[in-house]
Amino acid sequence: MTACTRNNLSMSGFTHSGVYNFVSILKAPNRYASWELGRGLVVGYGEGHEASFLSQQLGVAVVGVDLRPPADAYGKHFRPILADALHIPFPSGSFDFVFSYHTLEHLSDPEAGLSEMHRVLRPGGLLYIGTPNRHRIIGYVGSYGASLQQKIAWNLKDYVDRLRGKFRNELGAHAGFSRRELQELLAAHFSDVQWLTKDYLWFKYSAKIPGFILRAFLLDPVLDFLAPALYALCRK
């Protein structure tokens, strides 16, 4: 597993674990030491805490696109733009990295969305992406800011949607993608795709779950159904 911790991140608890994970990857010794970061894009910034965190932790200019304005507390730390992720209003090669966390499953055309993310990355640029795992048994385990009651309600809705044959992104369900589906989508645009699901879960839960239990959880046949979400790092 990648030895990533949050000890060097000064805003613990401030935002989703995914953005901590991405920052820890970029800050890992010697991994991207010669790779200069100048500008980043967050696709689907939501309230804005992820974009704000990236800007402050990496010390770079960050732009975010979403259909609604960010919360006042976060919008001052990055440049929010009201735009559709299927039509990102920037020239090709504008960004060193793109961060897309649980956004792809909400797009009406995920392939077109990935095409846009690829287009606005510079050659060698990185895409960090996370989506729900469509084959999950239980989801929303570590959902940021969600109560236990909300997590239970969301899982119950997923089960109902499955039984009704409506567990599909295009029908409004928070279904996400299977690993094979996401692999095919990413491979259509990126030749270098590194799966991070195991590293991400180790990063997030190694301080909470005994190592021997977590290692069993991370075995491939088990992970396909127990991982709530899938994560990958792609290079253009």
Side-chain angles (χ1 to χ4, degrees), residues 62-119:
V62 173
V63 175
V65 295
D66 209 321
L67 299 177
R68 296 178 297 178
D72 291 341
Y74 308 119
K76 62 184 177 181
H77 298 295
F78 71 100
R79 180 186 172 193
I81 294 178
L82 301 184
D84 189 333
L86 302 183
H87 304 284
I88 299 172
F90 286 92
S92 299
S94 293
F95 298 97
D96 298 301
F97 68 84
V98 173
F99 180 87
S100 175
Y101 194 74
H102 290 250
T103 296
L104 191 67
E105 66 273 14
H106 297 292
L107 301 183
S108 60
D109 188 341
E111 186 170 1
L114 281 172
S115 178
E116 275 292 89
M117 295 179 211
H118 178 272
R119 180 185 65 79

Side-chain angles (χ1 to χ4, degrees), residues 168-191:
R168 295 164 56 185
N169 298 320
E170 63 269 27
L171 296 179
H174 196 240
F177 306 89
S178 69
R179 174 169 167 145
R180 178 177 293 182
E181 290 167 340
L182 187 57
Q183 173 71 49
E184 290 176 354
L185 285 169
L186 295 174
H189 302 284
F190 296 90
S191 58

Side-chain angles (χ1 to χ4, degrees), residues 25-26 34 36 39 82 88 90 93 103 129 137 151 155 194 198 201 207-208 210 221 226:
I25 289 170
L26 293 179
S34 63
E36 294 186 6
R39 198 181 195 193
L82 301 184
I88 299 172
F90 286 92
T103 296
I129 189 162
I137 296 174
K151 294 175 185 179
N155 275 289
Q194 177 187 353
K198 291 183 180 181
L201 292 172
K208 303 175 184 178
L226 291 187

